[in-house]
Amino acid sequence: AQSVTQPDIHITVSEGASLELRCNYSYGATPYLFWYVQSPGQGLQLLLKYFSGDTLVQGIKGFEAEFKRSQSSFNLRKPSVHWSDAAEYFCAVGAGFGNEKLTFGTGTRLTIIP
Amino acid sequence: DAGVIQSPRHEVTEMGQEVTLRCKPISGHNSLFWYRQTMMRGLELLIYFNNNVPIDDSGMPEDRFSAKMPNASFSTLKIQPSEPRDSAVYFCASSFGQGAAMNTEAFFGQGTRLTVV
């Protein structure tokens, strides 16, 4: 069965600093990978996704992620964070015949300090 | 489009009562998902439908939980009887896809926060 590990429960960064959130997955086939963001009291919003092709994918809000098959990783990055980026971030892998079953990691809570 | 619409946003009920959560997916989407989010277990897929047909309900915790999708624009998740351990945020999501790319992107509703006392 597929699984996703987000090793960092909570990360604090200064506004303007760079950010990297880690994600490792376990899946026997070629994965469909996603990053979602959840603001307090809100649903999840898709930041970016990887299906195939270029292993560096660009998303919304200035985020990017790199798929590294050899490391089973799909880390999320942003060169300069803004206070509005404070939220919880979830990595997910899609599985099943149509990759419709999303398995989520436990999430990383991002705090931004001035 | 208004996005995925869930109702109610908040629900407080007494143990033993029946609870019905509602979801209206995005028009044109052919897959619908119900998730539960708790601090202890994170986000769990409960059940999903494709073209109104339940495909996988292996995540439904027990027989007290049931879900229906009578048409393409409406789904319900029912808990009967409810228990305090069912307290969680329940999310509905929808997506459109075909064949091997069924899940190109899932759009989530804002969730229903359920409290069972």
Side-chain angles (χ1 to χ4, degrees), chain B residues 10-69:
Chain B
H10 301 273
E11 176 80 36
V12 180
T13 190
E14 290 185 347
M15 182 175 62
Q17 296 298 306
E18 176 180 296
V19 175
T20 300
L21 311 181
R22 297 173 175 79
C23 175
K24 176 179 169 55
I26 292 174
S27 177
H29 281 189
N30 58 358
S31 291
L32 183 140
F33 310 83
W34 282 101
Y35 288 88
R36 179 171 67 176
Q37 185 178 37
T38 61
M39 289 293 293
M40 292 298 296
R41 301 175 67 90
L43 273 158
E44 305 172 278
L45 177 64
L46 301 177
I47 184 172
Y48 73 93
F49 297 81
N50 181 250
N51 294 323
N52 310 337
V53 176
I55 303 299
D56 187 340
D57 64 355
S58 60
M60 297 285 262
E62 47 196 279
D63 292 345
R64 297 184 297 106
F65 286 69
S66 62
K68 294 182 179 180
M69 191 164 187

Side-chain angles (χ1 to χ4, degrees), chain A residues 41-76:
Chain A
Q42 301 297 313
L44 282 75
Q45 181 185 22
L46 182 70
L47 286 175
L48 47 79
K49 58 192 177 187
Y50 171 78
F51 289 167
S52 64
D54 193 346
T55 57
L56 183 63
V57 293
Q58 303 296 321
I60 62 172
K61 305 184 180 185
F63 285 92
E64 66 177 27
E66 186 171 12
F67 170 59
K68 293 185 177 180
R69 185 185 298 274
S70 62
Q71 299 177 19
S72 298
S73 69
F74 188 57
N75 295 347
L76 181 71

Side-chain angles (χ1 to χ4, degrees), chain B residues 56-114:
Chain B
D56 187 340
D57 64 355
S58 60
M60 297 285 262
E62 47 196 279
D63 292 345
R64 297 184 297 106
F65 286 69
S66 62
K68 294 182 179 180
M69 191 164 187
N71 56 62
S73 60
F74 184 65
S75 176
T76 60
L77 178 67
K78 185 178 295 186
I79 308 172
Q80 165 65 16
S82 58
E83 297 182 3
R85 60 193 169 117
D86 302 330
S87 298
V89 180
Y90 291 81
F91 287 103
C92 176
S94 70
S95 70
F96 175 78
Q98 293 177 311
M102 285 175 62
N103 188 10
T104 54
E105 177 177 349
F107 291 82
F108 283 74
Q110 292 193 300
T112 294
R113 181 174 296 277
L114 173 65

